[in-house]
C-alpha cells in the first residue's frame, strides 16, 4: 500500500490541477510541519516538511507546538509470549525467544507501549529576503498515557480487531501502562517500565536544533519554487534515560522542497535525509524522507491540507532473511519503509497563526507511531 500511496496522491493532484490556471504565487500556508513521533526517534534530529517561502527580511516568528502520540508494538503478540502477565512479572530477554524453538532470535524484538508528549518551542528569523534562520528546543514526556481506550474504540468502529496484527495485539496488554523494551539475539538492549517526566512541568528537555533555510527560487507560472533546508542538532549533554530523550551526540540533515500553486491549490514535494552522529548498532546510521502535500486554500487565510510522508526505517537491515525465521518476526517488518497520512487545518489571523490535525500510520509494520494529534500556535513580529 505504501508503494502506491505516494504516486497515487501525486496523480490525483495532477488530474485535479491540470485545467486550473497557474499563478506566480507558489506557496500557501502549508505543508504540515510535523516530525516523526516514534519513541526511538525522539532522541535524534528528524527532518520534516516545511514551506518553500522564507520569512521577510527582519521579520520573526515565535511558536509553540504540542503533539501527543500513541505507539503500541508487540512483536510477540501473535504467539502471546508477551502479555499482561509477563509485563506484571517483568519482561525478560527469554520472552523474546522463538515460540517454535525456544532459541534466541537474531532479529529485533520490540515491546513498546508508549505515549509521548512533545512540546516544542521554535524561533525563526528572516536573515535576508531569501534566508531564514531557526532554533528549536523540545521538551519530552514519555508515559503510559490516556489514549489507549480511544484508539481501541476507533479500531472497533472501523472493524479492526485488537487481537490481530492490524490492532497490534493490544488486547493482550493492559491499557495505559508504559513499557519500552528492545531485544536482539537473546539480550535486552533496552528495558524500561518507568515513565519519563523530567524535572520541569514541561517535561525533560531534549536536544537543541539549529536550522537555515534558503529559498533558491520563488518559481513562476511554469517553474516551481525551490528551497534547501539544513539542520544541525546540538546534544545538550550526555545520553540520558536509555537514550529516549537525548542521543548524546550531534546529528545533521537536509531537505529539498518544491512547491507550485494552482488556484486554489498548492502542491509541495520534498526529499531529504537525516544522518545520526552516533547511535547503537540497532539504530540506522541515517534515514531518508519523502513527502507530498496537497493544500486547498478555502479562504485567503485558511487551508485544509492532505499529506503523505514516507521514510526509511529507524532500524537497520539485519537478521536471517530466509523463510525459516520465526512466526513472530515474519509478522513484522521493522526494516521496511514507514508510511503516514496526515490531515490538518491552518489559519492565519493578522499576526497569529494556528495549525491542528492528526497523523495515522497505515503501514502497520511496528516501526512507526500509530496515531498523533498535534496543535501549533505562532506569532509573527
Amino acid at each position: 500500500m505504501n508503494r502506491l500511496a505516494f504516486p497515487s496522491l501525486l496523480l490525483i493532484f495532477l488530474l485535479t490541477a491540470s485545467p486550473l490556471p497557474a499563478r506566480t504565487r507558489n506557496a500557501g500556508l502549508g505543508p504540515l510541519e510535523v516530525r516523526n513521533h516514534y519513541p526511538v526517534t525522539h532522541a535524534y534530529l528528524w527532518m520534516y516538511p516545511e514551506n518553500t517561502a522564507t520569512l521577510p527580511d527582519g521579520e520573526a516568528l515565535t511558536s509553540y507546538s504540542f503533539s501527543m502520540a500513541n505507539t503500541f508494538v508487540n512483536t510477540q503478540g501473535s504467539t502471546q509470549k508477551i502479555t499482561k502477565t509477563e509485563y506484571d512479572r517483568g519482561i525478560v530477554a527469554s520472552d523474546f525467544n522463538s515460540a517454535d524453538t525456544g532459541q534466541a532470535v537474531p532479529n529485533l524484538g520490540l515491546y513498546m507501549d508508549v505515549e509521548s508528549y512533545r512540546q516544542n518551542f521554535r524561533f525563526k528569523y528572516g536573515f535576508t529576503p531569501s534566508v531564514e534562520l531557526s532554533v528549536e528546543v523540545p521538551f519530552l514526556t514519555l508515559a503510559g498515557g490516556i489514549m489507549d481506550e480511544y484508539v481501541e474504540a476507533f479500531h472497533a468502529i472501523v472493524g479492526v480487531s485488537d487481537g490481530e496484527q492490524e490492532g497490534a495485539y493490544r488486547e493482550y496488554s493492559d491499557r495505559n501502562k508504559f513499557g519500552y523494551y528492545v531485544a536482539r539475539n537473546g539480550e535486552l538492549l533496552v528495558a524500561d517500565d518507568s515513565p519519563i517526566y523530567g524535572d520541569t512541568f514541561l517535561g525533560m528537555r531534549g536536544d537543541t536544533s539549529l536550522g537555515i533555510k534558503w529559498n533558491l527560487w520563488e518559481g513562476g507560472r511554469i517553474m516551481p519554487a525551490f528551497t534547501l533546508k539544513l539542520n544541525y542538532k546540538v546534544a545538550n549533554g550526555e545520553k540520558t534515560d536509555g537514550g529516549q530523550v537525548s542521543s548524546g551526540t550531534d546529528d545533521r540533515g537536509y531537505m529539498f522542497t518544491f512547491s507550485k500553486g494552482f488556484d486554489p491549490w498548492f502542491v509541495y514535494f520534498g526529499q531529504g535525509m537525516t544522518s545520526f552522529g552516533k547511535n547503537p548498532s540497532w539504530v540506522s546510521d541515517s534515514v531518508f524522507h519523502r513527502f507530498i502535500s496537497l493544500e486547498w486554500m478555502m479562504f485567503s487565510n485558511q487551508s485544509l491540507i492532505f499529506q503523505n510522508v514516507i521514510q526509511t526505517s529507524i532500524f537497520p537491515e539485519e537478521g536471517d532473511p530466509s523463510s525459516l525465521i520465526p512466526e513472530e518476526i515474519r509478522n513484522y517488518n521493522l526494516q521496511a519503509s514507514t508510511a503516514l497520512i496526515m490531515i490538518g487545518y491552518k489559519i492565519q489571523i493578522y499576526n497569529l497563526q494556528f495549525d491542528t490535525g492528526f497523523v495515522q500510520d497505515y503501514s502497520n509494520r511496528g516501526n512507526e507511531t500509530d496515531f498523533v494529534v498535534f496543535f501549533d500556535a505562532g506569532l509573527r513580529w
Side-chain angles (χ1 to χ4, degrees), residues 1-13 290-294 306-310 338-342 360 362-363:
M1 183 176 182
N2 55 344
R3 291 184 178 181
L4 298 176
F6 195 84
S8 298
L9 203 56
L10 180 60
L11 178 61
I12 291 172
F13 170 77
R290 181 188 299 175
F291 79 91
I292 185 170
S293 181
L294 302 181
F306 306 88
Q307 194 160 293
N308 179 232
V309 177
I310 296 175
T338 70
L340 295 168
I341 189 72
M342 306 180 182
Q360 175 69 54
Y362 63 86
S363 59

Side-chain angles (χ1 to χ4, degrees), residues 13 17 36 50 70 113 127 156 208 239 257 293-294 320-321 364:
F13 170 77
N36 192 288
E50 287 194 42
N70 183 278
D113 189 353
F127 186 66
T208 301
K239 179 177 178 180
T257 303
S293 181
L294 302 181
D320 184 357
N364 293 320

